mmCIF file of all heavy atoms in Angstrom:
data_model
loop_
_atom_site.group_PDB
_atom_site.id
_atom_site.type_symbol
_atom_site.label_atom_id
_atom_site.label_comp_id
_atom_site.label_asym_id
_atom_site.label_seq_id
_atom_site.Cartn_x
_atom_site.Cartn_y
_atom_site.Cartn_z
ATOM 1 N N ALA A 388 36.549 97.254 113.114
ATOM 2 C CA ALA A 388 37.773 97.883 112.631
ATOM 3 C C ALA A 388 37.787 99.341 112.876
ATOM 4 O O ALA A 388 38.886 99.920 113.155
ATOM 5 C CB ALA A 388 37.885 97.643 111.062
ATOM 6 N N ARG A 389 36.644 100.069 112.788
ATOM 7 C CA ARG A 389 36.626 101.438 113.068
ATOM 8 C C ARG A 389 36.992 101.700 114.579
ATOM 9 O O ARG A 389 37.651 102.559 114.862
ATOM 10 C CB ARG A 389 35.219 102.096 112.731
ATOM 11 C CG ARG A 389 35.087 102.374 111.302
ATOM 12 C CD ARG A 389 33.897 103.163 111.091
ATOM 13 N NE ARG A 389 33.697 103.323 109.570
ATOM 14 C CZ ARG A 389 32.604 103.122 108.902
ATOM 15 N NH1 ARG A 389 31.387 102.850 109.555
ATOM 16 N NH2 ARG A 389 32.482 103.196 107.623
ATOM 17 N N ARG A 390 36.390 100.926 115.449
ATOM 18 C CA ARG A 390 36.572 100.987 116.845
ATOM 19 C C ARG A 390 38.139 100.925 117.163
ATOM 20 O O ARG A 390 38.692 101.566 117.885
ATOM 21 C CB ARG A 390 35.862 100.079 117.637
ATOM 22 C CG ARG A 390 34.458 100.574 118.054
ATOM 23 C CD ARG A 390 33.699 99.699 118.994
ATOM 24 N NE ARG A 390 32.546 99.045 118.250
ATOM 25 C CZ ARG A 390 32.371 97.800 118.062
ATOM 26 N NH1 ARG A 390 33.098 96.923 118.461
ATOM 27 N NH2 ARG A 390 31.389 97.510 117.354
ATOM 28 N N ILE A 391 38.682 99.807 116.487
ATOM 29 C CA ILE A 391 40.174 99.579 116.762
ATOM 30 C C ILE A 391 40.973 100.727 116.206
ATOM 31 O O ILE A 391 41.890 101.210 116.846
ATOM 32 C CB ILE A 391 40.521 98.195 115.973
ATOM 33 C CG1 ILE A 391 39.946 97.096 116.783
ATOM 34 C CG2 ILE A 391 42.093 98.033 115.920
ATOM 35 C CD1 ILE A 391 40.066 95.821 116.154
ATOM 36 N N HIS A 392 40.524 101.141 115.015
ATOM 37 C CA HIS A 392 41.276 102.332 114.339
ATOM 38 C C HIS A 392 41.157 103.556 115.297
ATOM 39 O O HIS A 392 42.064 104.215 115.582
ATOM 40 C CB HIS A 392 40.697 102.662 112.980
ATOM 41 C CG HIS A 392 41.285 103.926 112.431
ATOM 42 N ND1 HIS A 392 42.560 103.950 112.023
ATOM 43 C CD2 HIS A 392 40.696 105.135 112.328
ATOM 44 C CE1 HIS A 392 42.755 105.230 111.498
ATOM 45 N NE2 HIS A 392 41.800 105.970 111.753
ATOM 46 N N ASN A 393 39.935 103.797 115.790
ATOM 47 C CA ASN A 393 39.739 104.946 116.676
ATOM 48 C C ASN A 393 40.569 104.906 117.977
ATOM 49 O O ASN A 393 41.094 105.801 118.449
ATOM 50 C CB ASN A 393 38.279 105.198 116.930
ATOM 51 C CG ASN A 393 37.476 105.662 115.813
ATOM 52 O OD1 ASN A 393 38.081 106.167 114.876
ATOM 53 N ND2 ASN A 393 36.227 105.544 115.789
ATOM 54 N N SER A 394 40.639 103.666 118.524
ATOM 55 C CA SER A 394 41.490 103.366 119.725
ATOM 56 C C SER A 394 42.916 103.681 119.378
ATOM 57 O O SER A 394 43.681 104.235 120.170
ATOM 58 C CB SER A 394 41.405 101.948 120.129
ATOM 59 O OG SER A 394 40.038 101.721 120.615
ATOM 60 N N ALA A 395 43.415 103.174 118.281
ATOM 61 C CA ALA A 395 44.814 103.420 117.850
ATOM 62 C C ALA A 395 45.161 104.882 117.679
ATOM 63 O O ALA A 395 46.111 105.399 118.032
ATOM 64 C CB ALA A 395 45.242 102.705 116.584
ATOM 65 N N VAL A 396 44.156 105.636 117.086
ATOM 66 C CA VAL A 396 44.296 107.022 116.849
ATOM 67 C C VAL A 396 44.390 107.758 118.288
ATOM 68 O O VAL A 396 45.177 108.642 118.469
ATOM 69 C CB VAL A 396 43.195 107.638 116.004
ATOM 70 C CG1 VAL A 396 43.181 109.091 116.032
ATOM 71 C CG2 VAL A 396 43.344 107.120 114.547
ATOM 72 N N GLU A 397 43.568 107.309 119.165
ATOM 73 C CA GLU A 397 43.591 107.888 120.446
ATOM 74 C C GLU A 397 44.909 107.680 121.157
ATOM 75 O O GLU A 397 45.456 108.638 121.807
ATOM 76 C CB GLU A 397 42.389 107.291 121.272
ATOM 77 C CG GLU A 397 42.206 108.008 122.661
ATOM 78 C CD GLU A 397 41.889 109.516 122.555
ATOM 79 O OE1 GLU A 397 41.293 109.966 121.559
ATOM 80 O OE2 GLU A 397 42.202 110.195 123.541
ATOM 81 N N VAL A 398 45.528 106.440 121.024
ATOM 82 C CA VAL A 398 46.798 106.229 121.659
ATOM 83 C C VAL A 398 47.820 107.116 120.991
ATOM 84 O O VAL A 398 48.763 107.649 121.732
ATOM 85 C CB VAL A 398 47.232 104.679 121.412
ATOM 86 C CG1 VAL A 398 48.664 104.464 121.827
ATOM 87 C CG2 VAL A 398 46.280 103.844 122.356
ATOM 88 N N LEU A 399 47.725 107.392 119.762
ATOM 89 C CA LEU A 399 48.760 108.288 119.121
ATOM 90 C C LEU A 399 48.620 109.633 119.631
ATOM 91 O O LEU A 399 49.573 110.411 119.807
ATOM 92 C CB LEU A 399 48.552 108.166 117.703
ATOM 93 C CG LEU A 399 49.108 106.886 116.907
ATOM 94 C CD1 LEU A 399 48.752 106.958 115.374
ATOM 95 C CD2 LEU A 399 50.575 106.815 117.118
ATOM 96 N N ARG A 400 47.369 110.064 119.957
ATOM 97 C CA ARG A 400 47.125 111.444 120.412
ATOM 98 C C ARG A 400 47.699 111.492 121.798
ATOM 99 O O ARG A 400 48.232 112.534 122.175
ATOM 100 C CB ARG A 400 45.679 111.738 120.425
ATOM 101 C CG ARG A 400 45.230 112.339 119.084
ATOM 102 C CD ARG A 400 43.829 113.003 119.175
ATOM 103 N NE ARG A 400 43.070 112.493 117.964
ATOM 104 C CZ ARG A 400 41.836 112.108 118.025
ATOM 105 N NH1 ARG A 400 41.212 111.901 119.051
ATOM 106 N NH2 ARG A 400 41.333 111.704 116.871
ATOM 107 N N ARG A 401 47.289 110.493 122.677
ATOM 108 C CA ARG A 401 47.744 110.594 124.121
ATOM 109 C C ARG A 401 48.326 109.278 124.508
ATOM 110 O O ARG A 401 47.654 108.443 125.068
ATOM 111 C CB ARG A 401 46.492 110.886 125.014
ATOM 112 C CG ARG A 401 46.104 112.371 124.968
ATOM 113 C CD ARG A 401 44.967 112.677 125.916
ATOM 114 N NE ARG A 401 43.750 112.677 125.082
ATOM 115 C CZ ARG A 401 42.694 112.198 125.565
ATOM 116 N NH1 ARG A 401 42.484 111.583 126.695
ATOM 117 N NH2 ARG A 401 41.615 112.281 124.714
ATOM 118 N N PRO A 402 49.577 109.046 124.172
ATOM 119 C CA PRO A 402 50.216 107.750 124.498
ATOM 120 C C PRO A 402 50.291 107.562 126.038
ATOM 121 O O PRO A 402 50.418 108.553 126.769
ATOM 122 C CB PRO A 402 51.600 107.831 123.945
ATOM 123 C CG PRO A 402 51.939 109.212 123.681
ATOM 124 C CD PRO A 402 50.497 109.953 123.587
ATOM 125 N N ALA A 403 50.147 106.316 126.363
ATOM 126 C CA ALA A 403 50.291 105.996 127.922
ATOM 127 C C ALA A 403 51.702 106.253 128.255
ATOM 128 O O ALA A 403 52.515 105.901 127.418
ATOM 129 C CB ALA A 403 49.813 104.602 128.054
ATOM 130 N N PRO A 404 51.911 106.656 129.386
ATOM 131 C CA PRO A 404 53.352 106.863 129.879
ATOM 132 C C PRO A 404 54.000 105.499 130.015
ATOM 133 O O PRO A 404 53.371 104.594 130.510
ATOM 134 C CB PRO A 404 53.300 107.647 131.197
ATOM 135 C CG PRO A 404 51.795 107.449 131.643
ATOM 136 C CD PRO A 404 51.117 107.180 130.473
ATOM 137 N N GLU A 405 55.176 105.432 129.452
ATOM 138 C CA GLU A 405 55.927 104.224 129.546
ATOM 139 C C GLU A 405 56.628 104.117 130.842
ATOM 140 O O GLU A 405 57.295 104.959 131.264
ATOM 141 C CB GLU A 405 56.891 104.148 128.298
ATOM 142 C CG GLU A 405 57.552 102.776 128.109
ATOM 143 C CD GLU A 405 58.319 102.742 126.854
ATOM 144 O OE1 GLU A 405 57.711 103.171 125.777
ATOM 145 O OE2 GLU A 405 59.474 102.502 126.941
ATOM 146 N N GLU A 406 56.589 102.941 131.393
ATOM 147 C CA GLU A 406 57.263 102.674 132.695
ATOM 148 C C GLU A 406 58.624 102.380 132.347
ATOM 149 O O GLU A 406 59.049 101.420 131.704
ATOM 150 C CB GLU A 406 56.582 101.414 133.419
ATOM 151 C CG GLU A 406 57.245 101.229 134.911
ATOM 152 C CD GLU A 406 56.778 102.225 135.841
ATOM 153 O OE1 GLU A 406 55.756 102.881 135.572
ATOM 154 O OE2 GLU A 406 57.472 102.273 136.827
ATOM 155 N N THR A 407 59.535 103.257 132.831
ATOM 156 C CA THR A 407 61.020 103.111 132.518
ATOM 157 C C THR A 407 61.610 102.636 133.916
ATOM 158 O O THR A 407 60.971 102.584 134.928
ATOM 159 C CB THR A 407 61.754 104.440 132.270
ATOM 160 O OG1 THR A 407 61.491 105.342 133.347
ATOM 161 C CG2 THR A 407 61.099 105.021 131.036
ATOM 162 N N VAL A 408 62.852 102.050 133.765
ATOM 163 C CA VAL A 408 63.538 101.558 135.030
ATOM 164 C C VAL A 408 63.615 102.720 135.947
ATOM 165 O O VAL A 408 63.486 102.554 137.176
ATOM 166 C CB VAL A 408 64.888 101.032 134.574
ATOM 167 C CG1 VAL A 408 65.657 100.761 135.821
ATOM 168 C CG2 VAL A 408 64.769 99.675 133.747
ATOM 169 N N THR A 409 64.077 103.857 135.533
ATOM 170 C CA THR A 409 64.205 104.989 136.348
ATOM 171 C C THR A 409 62.938 105.433 137.088
ATOM 172 O O THR A 409 62.930 105.776 138.249
ATOM 173 C CB THR A 409 64.825 106.206 135.513
ATOM 174 O OG1 THR A 409 65.926 105.830 134.845
ATOM 175 C CG2 THR A 409 65.071 107.424 136.413
ATOM 176 N N ALA A 410 61.866 105.402 136.263
ATOM 177 C CA ALA A 410 60.543 105.723 136.905
ATOM 178 C C ALA A 410 60.140 104.793 137.923
ATOM 179 O O ALA A 410 59.622 105.098 138.924
ATOM 180 C CB ALA A 410 59.487 105.789 135.763
ATOM 181 N N SER A 411 60.376 103.513 137.662
ATOM 182 C CA SER A 411 60.010 102.444 138.730
ATOM 183 C C SER A 411 60.943 102.625 139.946
ATOM 184 O O SER A 411 60.411 102.394 141.070
ATOM 185 C CB SER A 411 60.189 100.999 138.109
ATOM 186 O OG SER A 411 61.564 100.552 137.960
ATOM 187 N N PHE A 412 62.178 102.976 139.768
ATOM 188 C CA PHE A 412 63.060 103.239 140.876
ATOM 189 C C PHE A 412 62.580 104.419 141.597
ATOM 190 O O PHE A 412 62.438 104.451 142.891
ATOM 191 C CB PHE A 412 64.465 103.469 140.539
ATOM 192 C CG PHE A 412 65.214 102.229 140.179
ATOM 193 C CD1 PHE A 412 64.593 100.962 140.110
ATOM 194 C CD2 PHE A 412 66.572 102.178 139.910
ATOM 195 C CE1 PHE A 412 65.401 99.828 139.758
ATOM 196 C CE2 PHE A 412 67.315 101.098 139.584
ATOM 197 C CZ PHE A 412 66.697 99.877 139.509
ATOM 198 N N GLY A 413 62.151 105.510 140.912
ATOM 199 C CA GLY A 413 61.620 106.726 141.586
ATOM 200 C C GLY A 413 60.356 106.536 142.395
ATOM 201 O O GLY A 413 60.190 106.960 143.513
ATOM 202 N N LYS A 414 59.460 105.624 141.819
ATOM 203 C CA LYS A 414 58.283 105.198 142.511
ATOM 204 C C LYS A 414 58.581 104.510 143.764
ATOM 205 O O LYS A 414 57.972 104.817 144.775
ATOM 206 C CB LYS A 414 57.385 104.432 141.518
ATOM 207 C CG LYS A 414 55.980 104.184 142.131
ATOM 208 C CD LYS A 414 55.245 103.233 141.206
ATOM 209 C CE LYS A 414 54.735 103.846 139.816
ATOM 210 N NZ LYS A 414 53.913 102.933 139.133
ATOM 211 N N PHE A 415 59.538 103.589 143.667
ATOM 212 C CA PHE A 415 59.964 102.842 144.845
ATOM 213 C C PHE A 415 60.507 103.697 145.915
ATOM 214 O O PHE A 415 60.055 103.719 147.089
ATOM 215 C CB PHE A 415 60.915 101.753 144.509
ATOM 216 C CG PHE A 415 61.669 101.205 145.687
ATOM 217 C CD1 PHE A 415 60.999 100.296 146.553
ATOM 218 C CD2 PHE A 415 62.928 101.561 145.952
ATOM 219 C CE1 PHE A 415 61.649 99.809 147.667
ATOM 220 C CE2 PHE A 415 63.558 101.032 147.028
ATOM 221 C CZ PHE A 415 62.974 100.163 147.960
ATOM 222 N N ILE A 416 61.421 104.668 145.559
ATOM 223 C CA ILE A 416 62.111 105.462 146.489
ATOM 224 C C ILE A 416 61.124 106.368 147.194
ATOM 225 O O ILE A 416 61.146 106.530 148.432
ATOM 226 C CB ILE A 416 63.204 106.220 145.808
ATOM 227 C CG1 ILE A 416 64.396 105.317 145.393
ATOM 228 C CG2 ILE A 416 63.669 107.390 146.614
ATOM 229 C CD1 ILE A 416 65.348 105.941 144.462
ATOM 230 N N SER A 417 60.201 107.005 146.371
ATOM 231 C CA SER A 417 59.241 107.903 147.012
ATOM 232 C C SER A 417 58.211 107.243 147.831
ATOM 233 O O SER A 417 57.589 107.847 148.681
ATOM 234 C CB SER A 417 58.585 108.842 145.920
ATOM 235 O OG SER A 417 57.845 107.953 145.009
ATOM 236 N N GLY A 418 57.955 105.974 147.604
ATOM 237 C CA GLY A 418 57.001 105.237 148.380
ATOM 238 C C GLY A 418 57.378 104.460 149.645
ATOM 239 O O GLY A 418 56.569 104.134 150.493
ATOM 240 N N VAL A 419 58.689 104.307 149.752
ATOM 241 C CA VAL A 419 59.051 103.474 150.942
ATOM 242 C C VAL A 419 59.198 104.414 152.120
ATOM 243 O O VAL A 419 59.554 105.538 152.090
ATOM 244 C CB VAL A 419 60.488 102.867 150.566
ATOM 245 C CG1 VAL A 419 61.608 103.773 150.542
ATOM 246 C CG2 VAL A 419 60.737 101.676 151.701
ATOM 247 N N LYS A 420 58.757 103.902 153.166
ATOM 248 C CA LYS A 420 58.741 104.686 154.449
ATOM 249 C C LYS A 420 59.388 103.831 155.607
ATOM 250 O O LYS A 420 59.512 102.587 155.402
ATOM 251 C CB LYS A 420 57.168 104.906 154.935
ATOM 252 C CG LYS A 420 56.313 105.563 153.905
ATOM 253 C CD LYS A 420 56.716 106.991 153.760
ATOM 254 C CE LYS A 420 55.824 107.580 152.711
ATOM 255 N NZ LYS A 420 56.451 108.159 151.565
ATOM 256 N N SER A 421 59.803 104.576 156.633
ATOM 257 C CA SER A 421 60.614 103.804 157.662
ATOM 258 C C SER A 421 59.689 102.822 158.318
ATOM 259 O O SER A 421 60.381 101.725 158.786
ATOM 260 C CB SER A 421 61.116 104.762 158.761
ATOM 261 O OG SER A 421 59.961 105.585 159.230
ATOM 262 N N GLU A 422 58.420 102.788 158.377
ATOM 263 C CA GLU A 422 57.708 101.744 158.939
ATOM 264 C C GLU A 422 57.637 100.456 158.129
ATOM 265 O O GLU A 422 57.214 99.511 158.604
ATOM 266 C CB GLU A 422 56.252 102.200 159.254
ATOM 267 C CG GLU A 422 55.453 102.821 158.135
ATOM 268 C CD GLU A 422 55.526 104.360 158.043
ATOM 269 O OE1 GLU A 422 56.465 104.926 158.719
ATOM 270 O OE2 GLU A 422 54.814 104.900 157.192
ATOM 271 N N HIS A 423 58.129 100.559 156.810
ATOM 272 C CA HIS A 423 58.185 99.529 156.067
ATOM 273 C C HIS A 423 59.466 98.551 156.460
ATOM 274 O O HIS A 423 59.556 97.402 156.008
ATOM 275 C CB HIS A 423 58.403 99.791 154.558
ATOM 276 C CG HIS A 423 57.212 100.429 153.952
ATOM 277 N ND1 HIS A 423 57.251 101.597 153.214
ATOM 278 C CD2 HIS A 423 55.828 100.196 154.107
ATOM 279 C CE1 HIS A 423 55.997 101.891 152.840
ATOM 280 N NE2 HIS A 423 55.120 101.096 153.429
ATOM 281 N N LEU A 424 60.265 99.059 157.269
ATOM 282 C CA LEU A 424 61.524 98.341 157.695
ATOM 283 C C LEU A 424 61.269 97.419 158.895
ATOM 284 O O LEU A 424 60.844 97.971 159.970
ATOM 285 C CB LEU A 424 62.589 99.379 158.071
ATOM 286 C CG LEU A 424 63.172 100.229 156.948
ATOM 287 C CD1 LEU A 424 64.189 101.104 157.495
ATOM 288 C CD2 LEU A 424 63.643 99.477 155.737
ATOM 289 N N SER A 425 61.379 96.227 158.703
ATOM 290 C CA SER A 425 61.044 95.214 159.712
ATOM 291 C C SER A 425 62.179 95.298 160.789
ATOM 292 O O SER A 425 63.203 95.841 160.573
ATOM 293 C CB SER A 425 61.002 93.799 159.253
ATOM 294 O OG SER A 425 62.218 93.416 158.749
ATOM 295 N N SER A 426 61.939 94.740 161.954
ATOM 296 C CA SER A 426 62.893 94.800 163.062
ATOM 297 C C SER A 426 64.146 93.937 162.634
ATOM 298 O O SER A 426 65.253 94.299 162.955
ATOM 299 C CB SER A 426 62.277 94.203 164.307
ATOM 300 O OG SER A 426 61.830 92.788 164.123
ATOM 301 N N VAL A 427 63.962 92.917 161.890
ATOM 302 C CA VAL A 427 65.077 92.183 161.291
ATOM 303 C C VAL A 427 65.946 93.060 160.336
ATOM 304 O O VAL A 427 67.162 92.953 160.433
ATOM 305 C CB VAL A 427 64.598 90.846 160.617
ATOM 306 C CG1 VAL A 427 65.713 90.102 159.870
ATOM 307 C CG2 VAL A 427 63.935 89.875 161.563
ATOM 308 N N VAL A 428 65.249 93.717 159.520
ATOM 309 C CA VAL A 428 66.026 94.636 158.516
ATOM 310 C C VAL A 428 66.778 95.689 159.249
ATOM 311 O O VAL A 428 67.990 95.952 159.015
ATOM 312 C CB VAL A 428 65.035 95.170 157.449
ATOM 313 C CG1 VAL A 428 65.713 96.230 156.640
ATOM 314 C CG2 VAL A 428 64.574 94.143 156.557
ATOM 315 N N LEU A 429 66.092 96.228 160.287
ATOM 316 C CA LEU A 429 66.816 97.368 161.085
ATOM 317 C C LEU A 429 67.997 96.673 161.742
ATOM 318 O O LEU A 429 69.082 97.329 161.756
ATOM 319 C CB LEU A 429 65.766 97.984 162.120
ATOM 320 C CG LEU A 429 64.795 98.796 161.388
ATOM 321 C CD1 LEU A 429 63.668 99.216 162.545
ATOM 322 C CD2 LEU A 429 65.370 100.053 160.836
ATOM 323 N N HIS A 430 67.837 95.542 162.367
ATOM 324 C CA HIS A 430 68.920 94.938 163.063
ATOM 325 C C HIS A 430 70.125 94.628 162.132
ATOM 326 O O HIS A 430 71.272 94.964 162.462
ATOM 327 C CB HIS A 430 68.447 93.699 163.818
ATOM 328 C CG HIS A 430 69.618 92.931 164.510
ATOM 329 N ND1 HIS A 430 70.123 93.502 165.747
ATOM 330 C CD2 HIS A 430 70.256 91.805 164.185
ATOM 331 C CE1 HIS A 430 71.061 92.613 166.122
ATOM 332 N NE2 HIS A 430 71.156 91.601 165.203
ATOM 333 N N ARG A 431 69.823 94.069 161.042
ATOM 334 C CA ARG A 431 70.829 93.612 160.052
ATOM 335 C C ARG A 431 71.519 94.938 159.436
ATOM 336 O O ARG A 431 72.741 94.899 159.248
ATOM 337 C CB ARG A 431 70.281 92.830 158.989
ATOM 338 C CG ARG A 431 69.996 91.412 159.419
ATOM 339 C CD ARG A 431 69.399 90.521 158.340
ATOM 340 N NE ARG A 431 69.218 89.188 158.904
ATOM 341 C CZ ARG A 431 68.573 88.195 158.216
ATOM 342 N NH1 ARG A 431 68.175 88.508 156.916
ATOM 343 N NH2 ARG A 431 68.482 87.120 158.743
ATOM 344 N N SER A 432 70.757 95.949 159.167
ATOM 345 C CA SER A 432 71.307 97.087 158.633
ATOM 346 C C SER A 432 72.154 97.817 159.589
ATOM 347 O O SER A 432 73.279 98.378 159.221
ATOM 348 C CB SER A 432 70.350 98.044 158.007
ATOM 349 O OG SER A 432 69.311 98.428 158.946
ATOM 350 N N LYS A 433 71.866 97.853 160.814
ATOM 351 C CA LYS A 433 72.779 98.431 161.856
ATOM 352 C C LYS A 433 74.022 97.736 161.931
ATOM 353 O O LYS A 433 75.183 98.324 162.051
ATOM 354 C CB LYS A 433 72.078 98.417 163.207
ATOM 355 C CG LYS A 433 70.891 99.361 163.412
ATOM 356 C CD LYS A 433 70.181 99.183 164.819
ATOM 357 C CE LYS A 433 68.978 99.923 164.884
ATOM 358 N NZ LYS A 433 68.289 99.647 166.171
ATOM 359 N N ARG A 434 74.021 96.408 161.845
ATOM 360 C CA ARG A 434 75.247 95.553 161.785
ATOM 361 C C ARG A 434 76.043 95.936 160.533
ATOM 362 O O ARG A 434 77.293 95.986 160.648
ATOM 363 C CB ARG A 434 74.914 94.168 161.945
ATOM 364 C CG ARG A 434 74.531 93.762 163.288
ATOM 365 C CD ARG A 434 74.158 92.282 163.376
ATOM 366 N NE ARG A 434 75.431 91.530 163.138
ATOM 367 C CZ ARG A 434 75.457 90.232 162.931
ATOM 368 N NH1 ARG A 434 74.401 89.487 162.965
ATOM 369 N NH2 ARG A 434 76.556 89.523 162.596
ATOM 370 N N MET A 435 75.345 96.080 159.447
ATOM 371 C CA MET A 435 76.164 96.441 158.195
ATOM 372 C C MET A 435 76.770 97.753 158.303
ATOM 373 O O MET A 435 77.941 97.958 157.910
ATOM 374 C CB MET A 435 75.114 96.423 156.963
ATOM 375 C CG MET A 435 74.627 94.980 156.563
ATOM 376 S SD MET A 435 73.248 95.112 155.419
ATOM 377 C CE MET A 435 74.115 95.556 153.917
#
């Protein structure tokens, strides 16, 4: 119980950052590179 309590107190002191929709989009946007685009995706997007 003390260990659990101490863990809970630690979380209150330093909560883990919550993954938001905006944060997940930002992570995706900053991580994608042109080499991730396949030749099929490039061909289709040029047509689009």
Side-chain angles (χ1 to χ4, degrees):
R389 280 191 186 135
R390 270 187 250 124
I391 291 171
H392 173 74
N393 289 339
S394 297
V396 168
E397 188 61 28
V398 166
L399 288 174
R400 273 193 222 135
R401 281 185 263 140
E405 195 173 299
E406 184 73 21
T407 63
V408 172
T409 305
S411 72
F412 283 9
K414 187 187 290 184
F415 163 74
I416 290 167
S417 65
V419 71
K420 307 287 181 245
S421 56
E422 54 267 14
H423 295 136
L424 302 176
S425 70
S426 60
V427 172
V428 168
L429 287 171
H430 177 73
R431 288 182 179 170
S432 57
K433 288 174 187 177
R434 289 181 61 191
M435 290 170 73

